[in-house]
Amino acid sequence: MPIPPARPLRLGLAMWSHNHWQQSLYGTGCKTGDRLARYAEVFDTVEGNTTFYATPAITTVKKWHQATPDDFRFTFKLPATITHQNQLMHCDQLLADFFTVMSPLELKTGLWKIQLPAHFGPQALPALEKFLRKLPAHLTFGVEVRHPAFFAKGEEEKALNRLLVDQQANRIIMDSRPVFAAPPTSEAVIDAHQKKPHVPVHAIATANNPMIRFIGHPDDLSNDAFFANWLKRLPSWLADGKQPYLFIHTPDNNQAPELAIRLYRQLQQQVSLSPQLPDIRLPPEAEASPQFDLL
């Protein structure tokens, strides 16, 4: 039986800075520059998506390190220049430069995310295999695919899963069922329907840190029916000694902290999890008038 990690499951959100959380997650008076530190007092991981668009300055990376405790874990996307423009090929120097800048956070990065475009299909698997083989062996990686063939349960998906298992790379799981069940009656939901991948949920753990990106329904309680399967799968993975990463989104992310904590407490009814998370509540006037603006 594998030895369970100190934090059996890591819980986080799609970002650490969001104006709508000023009076809920951060508290009145929290300065913008202090938001990451406050976020890290409640959640122990976060999706670092900004690195997909641009590599930060090393001074910024050092500030992120200083703002977070030793047991906090980031998950950073590899730059789009590597995954989308170069399609994982001829990018050795780009990769080396990226890891050099990010090196102050190496020990605090739980998962480096390789998000591949929808046109990256089965014919590109040799490029993915070559790329995974040359990555630093001491780092942990996750791969997010979007090509329909990788969700068809055929030989092409099996080939992908075998490759990920062989290379000990985690398959990142997108659960967008909740948001696509929401009627397109707000700008945020309409935008999410246009931008989020509408793919089946294949809950497979190809390595030790399966990552779930749960894109929630704007109506809080409507998420429970979709989360019910995770109340079974996550405890099963935990029993096997795996350490899943669970990220909670909503179309506008305004109430994402509250939803994450509520779903986490449902998990705590199924399996022993620590730490205990605090209550987060918005002021009544904010709850009465939710704004729908996609990040």
Side-chain angles (χ1 to χ4, degrees), residues 21-268:
W21 303 342
Q22 189 63 42
Q23 297 182 52
S24 56
L25 178 60
Y26 310 128
T28 304
C30 180
K31 298 178 180 178
T32 302
D34 296 331
R35 286 178 176 180
L36 175 56
R38 174 56 186 143
Y39 172 97
E41 292 176 4
V42 179
F43 299 102
D44 58 11
T45 189
V46 70
E47 289 196 59
N49 295 326
T50 58
T51 52
F52 179 76
Y53 304 101
T55 300
I58 195 165
T59 52
T60 300
V61 175
K62 290 178 178 178
K63 288 180 181 178
W64 293 345
H65 182 277
Q66 294 167 358
T68 50
D70 290 344
D71 62 352
F72 188 84
R73 293 294 179 266
F74 293 88
T75 68
F76 289 113
K77 280 185 184 178
L78 267 57
T81 52
I82 294 173
T83 57
H84 286 56
Q85 295 176 25
N86 285 55
Q87 300 282 294
L88 307 182
M89 298 182 290
H90 314 300
C91 55
D92 290 3
Q93 191 60 52
L94 288 171
L95 192 64
D97 292 345
F98 174 69
F99 282 134
T100 296
V101 173
M102 302 301 294
S103 61
L105 280 174
E106 180 178 303
L107 296 180
K108 286 187 178 180
T109 302
L111 208 66
W112 300 91
K113 298 182 292 181
I114 304 167
Q115 180 183 298
L116 298 172
H119 59 268
F120 192 100
Q123 77 287 349
L125 283 181
L128 176 59
E129 180 175 9
K130 183 177 180 181
F131 184 78
L132 291 174
R133 287 186 180 279
K134 65 185 178 185
L135 291 173
H138 66 287
L139 301 182
T140 302
F141 292 88
V143 177
E144 181 180 315
V145 293
R146 299 189 175 190
H147 193 283
F150 294 137
F151 297 89
K153 297 185 178 181
E155 291 304 316
E156 293 154 324
E157 181 176 7
K158 291 177 183 177
L160 168 68
N161 291 336
R162 283 195 300 268
L163 170 59
L164 298 181
V165 170
D166 289 344
Q167 298 301 313
Q168 282 298 284
N170 299 276
R171 181 167 179 174
I172 297 174
I173 304 159
M174 175 74 75
D175 189 349
S176 58
R177 296 172 302 158
V179 73
F180 280 101
T185 55
S186 71
E187 291 184 9
V189 173
I190 292 170
D191 203 5
H193 285 188
Q194 293 172 346
K195 295 179 178 178
K196 299 297 183 184
H198 195 186
V199 294
V201 182
H202 289 186
I204 179 172
T206 57
N208 200 53
N209 299 107
M211 177 192 286
I212 302 137
R213 302 180 68 207
F214 185 88
I215 317 299
H217 194 290
D219 174 57
D220 180 50
L221 295 180
S222 295
N223 290 291
D224 290 359
F226 298 102
F227 198 68
N229 289 336
W230 294 116
L231 292 176
K232 299 176 182 178
R233 182 56 57 93
L234 285 166
S236 176
W237 283 341
L238 292 169
D240 291 338
K242 299 185 184 301
Q243 185 187 42
Y245 281 68
L246 175 61
F247 291 103
I248 304 299
H249 304 228
T250 63
D252 56 12
N253 281 307
N254 286 352
Q255 273 73 49
E258 293 89 338
L259 176 61
I261 290 174
R262 192 175 68 78
L263 296 180
Y264 179 82
R265 288 177 176 167
Q266 290 185 16
L267 272 172
Q268 286 182 306

